[in-house]
Amino acid sequence: MRKLALGAAAALALAGSATLAVAQTTTVTIDPAEETTVTKYVTEHKLSSVDVPGVTSVTVGTELPSAVELHTVPSVSKYRVAVIKNQTVLVDPGTRKVVKVIQAK
């Protein structure tokens, strides 16, 4: 009986961890003017798209390897920018995780 209770407790703990992990991958909302600034920067600086080995699609939460160059956009100080698989993405420079995929207009 005690083993069953310990197993149930472990399962609940794992379920709680999974929920926490999902909650941490939320999409960032940026001001439309900042989004325009980022898009303009990518176009004007002709940032090349790169492919990331092992990444088939870029989504929020995708961690980029250190080989991927992150660009600083003036007036968008909190995040960095990269172009992955022809998609402009905002990246948290501390974790290197994608926090927003900017949709092409």
Side-chain angles (χ1 to χ4, degrees):
M1 186 76 144
R2 181 180 170 138
K3 287 183 183 179
L4 180 62
L6 288 174
L12 285 173
L14 285 174
S17 306
T19 302
L20 179 60
V22 170
Q24 292 174 346
T25 58
T26 57
T27 302
V28 169
T29 303
I30 65 168
D31 183 270
E34 285 181 313
E35 192 167 318
T36 300
T37 299
V38 168
T39 304
K40 185 176 177 182
Y41 180 89
V42 168
T43 303
E44 288 178 353
H45 290 84
K46 297 180 176 129
L47 299 185
S48 297
S49 179
V50 296
D51 287 329
V52 178
V55 174
T56 56
S57 66
V58 182
T59 59
V60 171
T62 300
E63 187 172 340
L64 301 179
S66 60
V68 174
E69 184 177 3
L70 303 180
H71 302 272
T72 302
V73 177
S75 77
V76 182
S77 59
K78 188 172 182 180
Y79 302 109
R80 301 298 177 265
V81 176
V83 181
I84 310 296
K85 295 195 168 289
N86 295 314
Q87 293 182 295
T88 301
V89 295
L90 290 181
V91 181
D92 179 326
T95 63
R96 298 191 64 86
K97 289 186 179 181
V98 173
V99 295
K100 180 168 181 65
V101 177
I102 297 178
Q103 301 302 319
K105 295 178 182 173

